[in-house]
Amino acid sequence: MTCASCVARVEKALKKVPGVQDAAVNLATESARVTVAAGDDVEARVRRAVRDAGYEPRAAAAAIDDAAGASPWAGFAPVGTGLLLSLPLVAPMLLMPLGVRWMAPPWLQFLLATPVQFWLGARFYRAGWHALKAGTGNMDLLVAVGTSAAWALSMYLWLFSGHGAHAHLYFESSAVVVTLVLLGKWLEARAKRQTTAAIRALHALRPELAHLIDWDGQEKDIPVDELRAGDRLAVRPGERVPADGRVSEGSTQVDEAMLTGEPLPVAKGTGDALTGGSINGDGRVLMEVTAAGSESVLAHIIRLVEDAQAAKAPVQRLVDQVSAVFVPAVLGIALLTFVGWWLAGVGLETAIIRAVAVLVIACPCALGLATPTAIMAGTGVAAKHGILIKDAEALEIAHQVDTVAFDKTGTLTEGRPRLTAFEPAPGTDADAALAAVAAVQAGSEHPLARAVVEAAAERFPALGRTGFATESPQGEAAPSGGSGPREAGERGGDPAAGPLPRRGAAPSGGSATGEAVERWGAIRAVPGRGTEGRVDGRLWRIGSWAWMRELGVDLKPLEAAAQAQQAQAATVSVACEAADEAAVPQARALLAFADAPKDGARAAIEALHARGVRTVMVSGDNRGAAEAMARRLGLKPEEGEVMAEVLPGDKAEAVR
């Protein structure tokens, strides 16, 4: 589609299809949303109606896939060719202010303008012809008629007017108008490809394959599109969950940030729900599919985004009304112009020139170019300032905004957990304990393990991250507390950070800490509980409060600190130490994890408040964590400025 008239024509064709109750067509996204009667399969009839109207129906997913692989310069070749051919035609006008009087000979103008008119401009003739067959007009028809008239008049003046080589020709008008409209179309197409980026990112959350457990207990890989409710699947550590379902065997921790925004992993056991697109943590689990394909939560979120992008801007309703009469009105005015000047006695040539002027001026009409260009300019400037605008309507009504709703995780906060407190038990050396805990956690990609290693690297800058990521003994899995054990001998932490420090290298905490970091043995993940391993010959365990109780650890020395941290919505873990498996472990430290506010988040909220704009935080996180973060940011939960435990599908309703 090329203009608002195309939109009106496609909508009219769709609404005529039996079974279609309503149809809304969007020019910017080149999409149609059709409402049909329940139980009526009209897809084939809808596709035929679109094709009969002169357009090619395509599946939305195919358009998204094409956009994903397209270069930013895709489709520029015709525009570039038109610019090269038109430049010599425009050059005389550009040189005139410099006092240079030069004009290309008529035969050269003809050779330059004709390919632009009939080769590059062929699309306008085809689309205009389809519009005429449908009994309507569109912008393509104006372009075809106006530029053809300018080209034909130039041919007449060159060959039959008697002026010959000295005739004043209009080849540059036809060529430049065709080229500029093609340039506008290319800019629009590039902007349309960018509008699908959000949907492509959501599609990328779904894996291509699922591990199906067959009737005989064997695993086989099948495309996720073939999954059905009731299928049994295996989900391995670190993989994305392929569909909605429930855990039937095993336990793990799952990163559900794509659904809730919560950066901390959630423990899952038998009977717990899994959401397609979330990331499995440290355990292999079996699951039973409850919803797949278009019925899944992820598919529903994608539909919400598509609905937002398919919505028309309010001004589009006015454009739709004007477009219905615009093309016929322009053609009528051009005809009246020709007849009026001809009857006034100015001569046939002058009358034609002035009628063509009306058509040429109307060709790159505001309906087709000005609105998309303004939207592109506005969204481009906003993007440079870190503001992403989802559609034209949001841009159009932005000046009326009196309330700003923020997501929490990743917007006001960094979106990843940090070690916010490390409380040693009485009689425990804090530096030695932190170094030992970091050594146990160093080989894991679990978010909490990474937070510990990063905190230790900041505390002991002489070692850096890899100082806590020593090599595993041959044949034993490296440490893991999250996304699954690594292969034996693989180094944890950042592989680009350089070689390991020499054995015995000490952090700033002293040589004893350095020895503790370097001497460690077999380390393993305990799914759903934590991590354990030997450091300096001692058995260390780091995990949940519940696991520590199972192990018989005396937690009384850490209870007050734990309650204080939990009151601030922090996630709490405990590190304990024992001589061996049979010995009673001793609590050594309390670890508290929480998300951290982004730099400048509080200042931004205060700036909005100073302008009289109300701010609200809408989060999928639990209420305690959401309200604690809100207070750190200067928001007031007691005044309704926090909405917690809101799922993605409900956030649009919360905003309404």
Side-chain angles (χ1 to χ4, degrees):
M1 299 183 295
T2 58
C3 73
S5 296
C6 299
V7 171
R9 189 158 82 252
V10 175
E11 282 185 353
K12 185 178 178 182
L14 289 174
K15 289 177 180 178
K16 286 182 178 178
V17 176
V20 171
Q21 297 177 338
D22 190 30
V25 177
N26 184 287
L27 176 63
T29 58
E30 292 186 339
S31 63
R33 186 155 295 279
V34 184
T35 306
V36 300
D40 193 352
D41 184 11
V42 298
E43 184 175 346
R45 296 199 295 272
V46 164
R47 287 177 173 274
R48 182 172 298 178
V50 171
R51 191 171 282 110
D52 290 345
Y55 303 90
E56 187 61 31
R58 301 184 63 201
I64 290 170
D65 291 341
D66 287 352
S71 160
W73 293 95
F76 187 74
V79 180
T81 304
L83 291 171
L84 288 174
L85 293 174
S86 301
L87 186 58
L89 299 173
V90 180
M93 286 185 281
L94 301 177
L95 296 173
M96 199 175 295
L98 303 177
V100 179
R101 302 288 177 178
W102 175 82
M103 181 71 69
W107 63 269
L108 180 57
Q109 293 186 50
F110 167 77
L111 291 177
L112 292 170
T114 301
V116 177
Q117 182 68 44
F118 297 106
W119 175 43
L120 300 179
R123 58 176 287 180
F124 301 117
Y125 289 99
R126 286 193 297 268
W129 172 244
H130 283 300
L132 282 176
K133 286 199 300 182
T136 62
N138 64 358
M139 182 175 158
D140 293 314
L141 182 62
L142 285 181
V143 173
V145 172
T147 57
S148 296
W151 183 89
L153 179 60
S154 299
M155 290 294 294
Y156 169 79
L157 294 175
W158 174 31
L159 299 176
F160 304 111
S161 68
H163 298 292
H166 303 288
H168 185 81
L169 308 180
Y170 300 92
F171 283 122
E172 88 287 343
S173 297
S174 65
V176 169
V177 167
V178 168
T179 300
L180 287 180
V181 176
L182 287 174
L183 175 61
K185 296 302 172 193
W186 177 75
L187 290 172
E188 286 183 50
R190 192 169 74 163
K192 290 169 189 172
R193 287 196 296 271
Q194 293 168 350
T195 64
T196 63
I199 296 175
R200 291 201 304 275
L202 288 170
H203 278 289
L205 294 176
R206 192 180 71 160
E208 295 291 327
L209 296 175
H211 311 304
L212 179 70
I213 306 295
D214 220 338
W215 60 272
D216 58 356
Q218 299 296 312
E219 280 188 33
K220 66 176 183 180
D221 291 348
I222 65 168
V224 292
D225 294 333
E226 297 179 11
L227 291 178
R228 301 190 306 272
D231 285 343
R232 292 182 71 239
L233 308 176
V235 186
R236 299 166 185 165
E239 292 184 337
R240 287 193 181 273
V241 178
D244 295 354
R246 294 192 176 278
V247 178
S248 56
E249 290 182 34
S251 62
T252 186
Q253 291 187 320
V254 177
D255 179 356
E256 295 184 330
M258 52 76 64
L259 178 69
T260 65
E262 168 56 57
L264 301 176
V266 180
K268 298 287 185 180
T270 303
D272 289 338
L274 295 173
T275 303
S278 57
I279 302 173
N280 185 26
D282 52 16
R284 179 182 182 273
V285 296
L286 302 184
M287 64 173 286
E288 180 178 341
V289 176
T290 57
S294 61
E295 301 303 316
S296 68
V297 172
L298 181 59
H300 180 62
I301 294 172
I302 291 173
R303 281 198 296 272
L304 288 175
V305 176
E306 289 175 338
D307 286 342
Q309 292 195 340
K312 289 184 180 180
V315 73
Q316 192 66 46
R317 288 190 287 272
L318 176 62
V319 170
D320 290 346
Q321 295 169 359
V322 173
S323 67
V325 296
F326 182 80
V327 175
V330 169
L331 292 171
I333 292 170
L335 180 61
L336 286 174
T337 302
F338 169 74
V339 172
W341 284 105
W342 184 48
L343 293 176
V346 299
L348 185 63
E349 179 181 329
T350 302
I352 292 175
I353 290 171
R354 291 175 182 174
V356 168
V358 172
L359 294 172
V360 169
I361 290 299
C363 282
C365 60
L367 297 179
L369 286 179
T371 301
T373 304
I375 290 170
M376 283 183 61
T379 54
V381 170
K384 289 179 181 178
H385 291 83
I387 302 168
L388 300 180
I389 297 170
K390 72 168 189 174
D391 59 23
E393 181 175 7
L395 183 63
E396 185 174 333
I397 64 174
H399 68 283
Q400 301 173 4
V401 168
D402 57 14
T403 304
V404 174
F406 288 102
D407 190 28
K408 179 178 79 71
T409 306
T411 303
L412 295 175
T413 71
E414 293 183 349
R416 59 188 178 90
R418 282 189 172 186
L419 182 65
T420 55
F422 187 85
E423 302 277 355
T428 300
D429 181 277
D431 284 352
L434 177 58
V437 171
V440 175
Q441 299 282 42
S444 173
E445 289 302 318
H446 191 283
L448 300 187
R450 287 200 300 266
V452 172
V453 175
E454 288 170 1
E458 292 174 7
R459 176 77 176 121
F460 310 127
L463 282 180
R465 265 191 73 101
T466 53
F468 306 97
T470 50
E471 293 183 356
S472 174
Q474 185 61 33
E476 292 173 341
S480 176
S483 56
R486 292 185 169 199
E487 296 300 320
E490 183 179 348
R491 181 177 299 170
D494 184 356
L500 294 172
R502 61 182 174 80
R503 189 166 295 278
S508 57
S511 61
T513 309
E515 291 296 319
V517 171
E518 290 299 322
R519 295 200 301 269
W520 57 277
I523 290 174
R524 69 185 186 93
V526 183
R529 288 172 170 79
T531 312
E532 64 179 22
R534 290 191 177 275
V535 179
D536 199 21
R538 307 282 292 178
L539 179 62
W540 282 78
R541 294 185 177 99
I542 303 98
S544 66
W545 194 272
W547 188 31
M548 295 298 127
R549 288 194 183 281
E550 290 177 18
L551 296 171
V553 177
D554 181 10
L555 297 172
K556 286 184 179 178
L558 298 175
E559 279 184 352
Q563 290 172 1
Q565 293 297 331
Q566 288 172 335
Q568 298 178 37
T571 297
V572 171
S573 294
V574 177
C576 68
E577 179 193 17
D580 52 42
E581 295 275 357
V584 177
Q586 300 296 313
R588 292 302 181 202
L590 177 85
L591 296 84
F593 302 91
D595 204 356
K598 275 188 178 175
D599 291 340
R602 186 183 180 104
I605 290 173
E606 290 173 349
L608 288 170
H609 287 170
R611 291 170 176 256
V613 178
R614 181 185 177 219
T615 57
V616 179
M617 186 172 78
V618 185
S619 174
D621 208 347
N622 68 76
R623 181 159 296 280
E627 291 187 354
M629 181 58 67
R631 290 188 176 93
R632 294 176 67 183
L633 292 165
L635 295 167
K636 299 175 182 176
E638 61 277 5
E639 295 183 10
E641 294 185 350
V642 177
M643 303 178 73
E645 300 173 1
V646 183
L647 294 177
D650 300 327
K651 286 186 178 179
E653 184 59 36
V655 171
R656 277 195 289 271

